[in-house]
Amino acid sequence: MDVYRELYRRSIAEPEAFWAEAATSVTWDRDPVRVLDSGRPPFHRWFPDAAINTCRNALDRHVEAGHGARTALIHDSPVTGTTSSVSYAQLLDVTARFAGVLRGLGVGKGDRVVISMPMVPQAVIAMLACARIGAVHSVVFGGFAAKELAVRIDDARPKVVVSASCGIEASRVIPYKPMLDEALRLAHHTPERCVILQRPQAPADLGDRDLDWDEATAAAEPADCVTVAAADPLYILYTSGTTGRPKGVVRDNGGHAVALAWSMRHIYGIDPGDVWWAASDVGWVVGHSYIVYAPLIAGATTVIYEGKPVGTPDAGAFWRVIAEHDVKALFTAPTAIRAIKKEDPEGALFAQYGVSSLRSLFLAGERLDTDTYAWATGVLGVPVVDNWWQTETGWPITAAPRGVDGVALRPGSPGVPMPGYDLRILDPAGNECAPGQDGAVVLGLPLPPGALPTLWQDDERYVASYLSQYPGYYLTGDGGHVDEDGYVFVTGRIDDVINVAGHRLSTGVIEEVVASHPDVAECAVIAVPDELKGQVPRALAVLKAGAETTPDRLEREIVAEVRGQVGAVASLKQVTVVPALPKTRSGKILRAAMRDIADGRDTPTPATVEDPAVLDALRRTLRPQP
């Protein structure tokens, strides 16, 4: 590992020299002279005197270099039975035109645009168009209900919302426009205009505020790239907070482009012209980083897949896409591989499709268990690379990078720290743990380029959420340890955010819905292990005195309400009625203790518990004796 160790050492000991060199891989409107500004800690800024345009780096520079005919994007849509491809020149043309639409609606540098769309090329175009004119986009996952969309509209305060008439799943069409209309009714902020992509499966009735995407684009004049400061925001991506209020993670333009360019080549081993598939959604951080920006900045071909490649009758959907499009590397969540393994335990479908292009499988978003790792390695015959990161970091904290010699794969570990991430394991007192000893996983400041510089218009919450517990360090919220060889092992969350199939959701958001039921006195939502999705929420409810509901009826009503207010992505299926919730003497609910019980761990009763009998009763409820 000598090559890796020297690379990592240099990134920590000489960060400015390291990232100055990495910055030569992107095209600047004004070259950086100063690499790092640490004059206002803990708010550090990368390339503070430089200027850039992210869309230029993703599109224009490749066309100008003579690669306009190269395929930029492949849209594979089994739900509509269509497949199409777009070259870099074509994607540049339609992006410039839609940027002209936004400019014509008064959107300029620093204005926000909320995007809520299905997995169609227009979602990518809308993101790039915002970047082109210096606007700040905030993409909201299309599976969220109207209330969640409204919360994000109120926080971002967009001038324009971009959406579609519908989304399409294997068995149904989901109207988006009524959901958007309801979100706008609930929101306090009112966007000036909405641009709606009309889809033939369910055209929408447009109102006075609405514009038809195709008509507006056809009439628009193309817009040129607008130069922005490297430290200016590119996007806001909302992630779950433990209070139920989402946190707006900010990503800048310059550091983001540099980090993604470095990661695409060195971590994922992707070169210009390679076909890459990140099987995620543009509404999540993987979609931002590795469906849209990283592959296009690298000059690669990115696959955007409309549909659910797992959980359908076709367990070979992944292998079909890889075989048909000559995909070199796949990025997905362990949940997907577990689902395929369940349907095709012998891997016959992989052999049937004759996949020959695949060189690597990358898994992230949740814990990779050793059985899934072993199955995928045996069936695919390629390296299965676990990597660990967060919405906040935007690119991997740890990995076994394919473009750096000497880093072997180690089952059970998501790899070693990537350049710029000064990863430490600290005990509750802030002392560094010995190799093999579990503690809190933290990252020394400054975080590397590409990581969040702050939260949207909320520096205080950024400090309180991430930087206050261990001064000088960013708290990841995960626990784990590092072995003697430097490999990181992540054991799980230490807060109240759960990870459902790679989607981070706040227990607070779900608890608000559960608590609103008229028969519920108090409640708690915890993460419980799930064979397919890694984690799913489980609600524990204490009934009001005199409540006449039955447990089955309560469960049906709450599950339906969570689906309606949070969305199906929450995956709440189980609501358990309990006589009381375990609490500390100060009244804090002992969620960590409940998670341990649900995970099957025999942990001692916390000394702070108010009534040990309540915890004992919960053990019997969550883990019934045979």
Side-chain angles (χ1 to χ4, degrees):
M1 292 176 62
D2 287 349
V3 172
Y4 158 75
R5 288 195 176 103
E6 174 55 24
L7 188 77
Y8 181 70
R9 182 207 65 77
R10 186 164 173 259
S11 77
I12 301 300
E14 307 168 36
E16 296 185 53
F18 182 93
W19 291 111
E21 182 178 320
T24 61
S25 65
V26 303
T27 299
W28 299 92
D29 291 4
R30 183 171 64 245
D31 289 338
V33 175
R34 190 177 183 187
V35 177
L36 176 63
D37 178 7
S38 294
R40 195 170 70 93
F43 302 100
H44 304 270
R45 295 291 184 269
W46 291 95
F47 313 112
D49 57 1
I52 197 169
N53 184 278
T54 296
C55 183
R56 187 194 310 281
N57 276 273
L59 299 179
D60 300 67
R61 67 172 181 159
H62 303 307
V63 175
E64 292 165 1
H67 304 305
R70 179 186 296 160
T71 300
L73 186 152
I74 296 170
H75 182 228
D76 191 299
S77 175
V79 295
T80 61
T82 62
T83 299
S84 61
S85 62
V86 180
S87 71
Y88 270 90
Q90 291 169 328
L91 187 56
L92 172 57
D93 177 66
V94 294
T95 297
R97 288 187 177 277
F98 192 69
V101 171
L102 295 176
R103 183 182 60 186
L105 295 176
V107 178
K109 186 187 295 187
D111 290 330
R112 276 79 61 207
V113 175
V114 163
I115 302 169
S116 178
M117 300 191 77
M119 287 291 287
V120 292
Q122 288 85 351
V124 178
I125 292 165
M127 295 168 69
L128 292 169
C130 291
R132 189 169 190 84
I133 59 175
V136 180
H137 64 69
S138 182
V139 181
V140 179
F141 174 58
F144 277 135
K147 180 181 177 182
E148 292 299 305
L149 177 56
V151 169
R152 287 151 176 80
I153 288 173
D154 278 339
D155 198 72
R157 302 182 65 79
K159 182 169 283 190
V160 171
V161 173
V162 181
S163 190
S165 62
C166 69
I168 305 166
E169 293 186 356
S171 59
R172 61 179 181 146
V173 173
I174 304 171
Y176 273 30
K177 186 60 167 56
M179 179 188 69
L180 173 59
D181 290 342
E182 175 64 10
L184 295 178
R185 186 189 70 81
L186 295 171
H188 299 290
H189 172 77
T190 302
E192 295 177 9
R193 303 301 292 269
C194 296
V195 182
I196 307 298
L197 173 69
Q198 293 279 27
R199 306 192 75 188
Q201 293 80 6
D205 294 329
L206 301 186
D208 294 339
R209 183 190 290 117
D210 305 322
L211 289 176
D212 179 281
W213 172 294
D214 290 334
E215 293 176 1
T217 303
E221 288 294 324
D224 291 331
C225 292
V226 171
T227 296
V228 299
D232 282 350
L234 170 66
Y235 67 75
I236 308 163
L237 180 56
Y238 288 96
T239 187
S240 293
T242 56
T243 64
R245 174 187 162 209
K247 296 179 289 191
V249 170
V250 174
R251 199 79 66 208
D252 67 10
N253 277 270
H256 174 254
V258 171
L260 292 191
W262 190 93
S263 71
M264 208 61 189
R265 174 66 188 90
H266 293 87
I267 296 178
Y268 298 109
I270 297 297
D271 294 316
D274 287 340
V275 182
W276 158 266
W277 180 22
S280 182
D281 188 283
V282 292
W284 306 114
V285 69
V286 171
H288 282 60
S289 293
Y290 293 109
I291 293 177
V292 183
Y293 288 113
L296 295 178
I297 289 172
T301 298
T302 183
V303 176
I304 180 169
Y305 185 90
E306 186 181 17
K308 294 182 178 179
V310 294
T312 69
D314 182 11
F318 266 41
W319 318 139
R320 176 195 64 79
V321 172
I322 294 170
E324 288 186 5
H325 304 306
D326 291 325
V327 174
K328 179 180 178 181
L330 168 67
F331 184 124
T332 189
T335 294
I337 303 303
R338 284 195 288 267
I340 295 171
K341 175 176 176 281
K342 179 181 177 182
E343 298 297 323
D344 184 25
E346 302 302 320
L349 289 171
F350 182 79
Q352 175 185 316
Y353 279 101
V355 175
S356 60
S357 61
L358 191 67
R359 294 292 178 268
S360 303
L361 170 64
F362 296 93
L363 298 175
E366 56 188 315
R367 182 177 174 273
L368 174 59
D369 59 280
T370 54
D371 287 346
T372 301
Y373 171 85
W375 182 87
T377 301
V379 169
L380 275 58
V382 300
V384 176
V385 185
D386 193 5
N387 55 126
W388 169 66
W389 46 296
Q390 302 178 325
T391 300
E392 290 86 349
T393 66
W395 62 286
I397 300 170
T398 69
R402 296 297 85 198
V404 178
D405 291 337
V407 182
L409 300 173
R410 183 160 295 187
S413 169
V416 293
M418 290 296 91
Y421 290 108
D422 184 10
L423 188 148
R424 310 289 181 93
I425 309 294
L426 301 183
D427 67 17
N431 301 311
E432 193 157 2
C433 296
Q437 179 185 351
D438 281 340
V441 183
V442 301
L443 307 171
L445 299 180
L447 296 176
L452 82 167
T454 188
L455 295 174
W456 176 248
Q457 295 187 335
D458 204 341
D459 287 350
E460 290 184 4
R461 191 181 185 196
Y462 170 60
V463 173
S465 298
Y466 301 106
L467 310 181
S468 60
Q469 186 164 341
Y470 298 101
Y473 293 95
Y474 166 91
L475 179 67
T476 68
D478 282 300
H481 64 268
V482 177
D483 70 12
E484 292 183 351
D485 296 323
Y487 283 82
V488 179
F489 293 78
V490 179
T491 55
R493 298 296 297 171
I494 56 176
D495 60 16
D496 293 321
V497 175
I498 64 175
N499 194 327
V500 182
H503 302 155
R504 292 185 66 201
L505 295 170
S506 166
T507 58
V509 168
I510 303 173
E511 284 179 3
E512 287 178 1
V513 180
V514 178
S516 69
H517 191 282
D519 290 326
V520 172
E522 62 176 348
C523 65
V525 174
I526 61 172
V528 297
D530 182 81
E531 182 178 357
L532 181 62
K533 297 187 177 183
Q535 291 181 321
V536 293
R538 181 175 182 178
L540 308 177
V542 179
L543 296 182
K544 292 179 179 177
E548 296 180 355
T549 189
T550 65
D552 287 346
R553 176 184 170 189
L554 182 77
E555 185 175 80
R556 287 195 304 272
E557 292 173 349
I558 288 177
V559 167
E561 193 68 15
V562 168
R563 184 182 182 93
Q565 292 200 39
V566 180
V569 69
S571 293
L572 179 69
K573 299 290 194 301
Q574 193 171 14
V575 179
T576 303
V577 175
V578 295
L581 296 175
K583 300 176 182 178
T584 66
R585 295 180 181 88
S586 61
K588 182 178 180 181
I589 296 174
L590 290 164
R591 287 181 173 83
M594 290 190 292
R595 286 196 299 265
D596 286 345
I597 293 170
D599 286 346
R601 291 193 289 268
D602 288 317
T603 56
T605 299
T608 56
V609 67
E610 181 182 30
D611 185 356
V614 173
L615 205 54
D616 291 338
L618 199 63
R619 289 189 177 100
R620 292 190 294 270
T621 302
L622 295 182
R623 290 189 289 161
Q625 296 300 312

